[in-house]
Amino acid sequence: MSYAIQWNLLLDDERDFLESIGVELLPSGMRFTRRPTGEDFCLTFAYIFGVRNRTLQEGNHIYFAIGDCILAGQEYFGKEAVGRWMRSFLRLVSMRDHLLGLAGATLIALQMVEEQIKLCCTLVRPKSLKLTLDDFLSPDPSRRKQTLGQLTSALKKSAIFDPSFEDRLTAFVSNRNKFVHNLWAEQARQSKKESGLPSEDEMKAIHDFLVLLLRETQYVLRVFLGCQYAIEKQPIVAALGEPESLVSTQWTRYIPEFEKVLRER
C-alpha cells in the first residue's frame, strides 16, 4: 500500500495557486522553490492542512508536508511569527468547524419544520393550497412540491393566525431562504480572508445568524406541533381513554403556544 500524499485531493484552483508561487508537491512532503510572501505562506499552509482534512487513509504522509511547510515558514519569517499565526489559524479552523456543524443542525431542523407545516396544511386545508393528506404521505415528490413560501402564504390567506405571528412567520421564511440560498455566497463576496478562512468577526456574524435562525425554527416547530395536536386531540384522547396519560400530556404540551398565535381561540 502506498502512503504517498494524495495531492489529487487539492482543488484545481488550489493546485494552480501552489504551482504559481513555486511550491513543489512531493510524494512525502513539499518544498518552496523560492521565498514566499507572508500571505502566500499562509495560504499554502491552509491548502495543505485542507488536504489533511480530506485524507481518510491512516499513515498517509500528509503530516510530513505540514511539517515541511512549518519549518520553511520558521526559516523565512521566524519561529515566533509562525507560532503566533498558527495559533490564530487553528482558532479559526475550530470556529469554522463549529459553524459547519451548526449549519448542519439548522438545515435538519428547517427540513423538520417544513414537513410539520406541510402536515398542518393538510389538516387546516387552506383554500388556496391544493394539498391533501394522501399527497403528504405519497412517496411521489411531485405531489409534495409546495415550497415553504407557498405554505405560509396559504396559511396567511386563511386568516388563522394573529397578524404579529404572520409577520414573524414572514421573517422566518426570509431568513430561511437567506440561509439556504445565499448566506455563504454573500459572506464569500464580502470576505476579507485570513489564511484562506473568513475572519473571526465574519464567522461570529454567521454564528449569531445561525443561532437566531435555529431558535426561531424550534419555536415555529412548537407552534405547528401544537396545531397538529390541537386538531387531533379529541379523537386521540378518546381512543386512548386516558386523558391524563403520559403520552397525551407529551402531545398536548405544545397546544398553548399554538393557541397564543391564533386570531380567535
Side-chain angles (χ1 to χ4, degrees):
M1 177 185 293
S2 171
Y3 293 102
I5 299 171
Q6 298 171 359
W7 293 120
N8 60 299
L9 297 176
L10 284 166
L11 302 179
D12 289 341
D13 288 346
E14 294 171 344
R15 181 182 291 276
D16 291 345
F17 167 79
L18 295 175
E19 290 178 355
S20 72
I21 65 167
V23 172
E24 186 176 357
L25 303 175
L26 307 171
S28 297
M30 60 79 63
R31 70 184 185 93
F32 292 98
T33 60
R34 59 179 180 269
R35 182 187 178 95
T37 65
E39 183 179 352
D40 287 349
F41 165 76
C42 293
L43 284 174
T44 297
F45 184 86
Y47 292 159
I48 293 174
F49 196 83
V51 172
R52 187 211 69 159
N53 290 339
R54 301 166 200 165
T55 301
L56 300 178
Q57 180 190 37
E58 293 291 335
N60 187 271
H61 292 167
I62 184 61
Y63 286 99
F64 294 158
I66 291 173
D68 290 343
C69 190
I70 292 173
L71 290 174
Q74 291 174 346
E75 180 181 344
Y76 291 130
F77 308 108
K79 288 185 178 181
E80 184 178 346
V82 171
R84 185 168 56 250
W85 177 82
M86 285 286 297
R87 288 189 292 273
S88 174
F89 175 78
L90 293 175
R91 184 173 66 253
L92 291 175
V93 168
S94 179
M95 291 181 67
R96 190 262 327 260
D97 292 347
H98 173 70
L99 276 185
L100 293 176
L102 183 59
T106 303
L107 179 61
I108 293 170
L110 284 168
Q111 291 180 354
M112 297 299 293
V113 78
E114 189 164 341
E115 282 294 284
Q116 186 62 35
I117 293 174
K118 197 170 293 186
L119 172 59
C120 287
C121 283
T122 70
L123 301 175
V124 174
R125 299 179 184 177
K127 292 182 180 179
S128 60
L129 187 70
K130 295 181 180 180
L131 179 67
T132 67
L133 187 58
D134 286 340
D135 292 330
F136 177 79
L137 297 175
S138 172
D140 182 0
S142 65
R143 295 179 62 180
R144 298 178 276 107
K145 63 182 179 180
Q146 291 82 2
T147 66
L148 185 58
Q150 290 172 323
L151 297 172
T152 56
S153 176
L155 288 172
K156 289 177 189 176
K157 290 177 183 178
S158 66
I160 296 171
F161 295 112
D162 182 90
S164 62
F165 179 73
E166 290 182 347
D167 291 342
R168 190 168 177 176
L169 202 56
T170 297
F172 167 71
V173 173
S174 176
N175 285 330
R176 177 266 183 197
N177 290 341
K178 177 180 178 180
F179 167 71
V180 171
H181 296 298
N182 60 11
L183 176 64
W184 309 104
E186 189 65 27
Q187 179 274 325
R189 185 179 296 113
Q190 300 176 5
S191 179
K192 298 177 181 179
K193 290 188 175 181
E194 301 172 1
S195 309
L197 294 171
S199 70
E200 191 167 335
D201 287 342
E202 289 174 287
M203 286 200 275
K204 186 179 184 305
I206 293 177
H207 173 270
D208 292 346
F209 174 84
L210 290 176
V211 168
L212 289 175
L213 178 57
L214 186 56
R215 287 176 180 168
E216 195 68 0
T217 301
Q218 292 166 341
Y219 166 70
V220 173
L221 179 61
R222 292 196 302 271
V223 168
F224 283 95
L225 284 171
C227 173
Q228 176 191 349
Y229 299 153
I231 293 171
E232 297 177 345
K233 179 180 177 183
Q234 294 305 320
I236 289 175
V237 170
L240 288 173
E242 299 179 5
E244 299 302 323
S245 71
L246 176 61
V247 172
S248 62
T249 301
Q250 289 176 332
W251 283 344
T252 58
R253 67 181 177 181
Y254 300 108
I255 293 176
E257 288 202 70
F258 166 62
E259 293 179 336
K260 286 179 185 177
V261 299
L262 292 175
R263 285 182 187 254
E264 298 179 4
R265 293 288 181 95

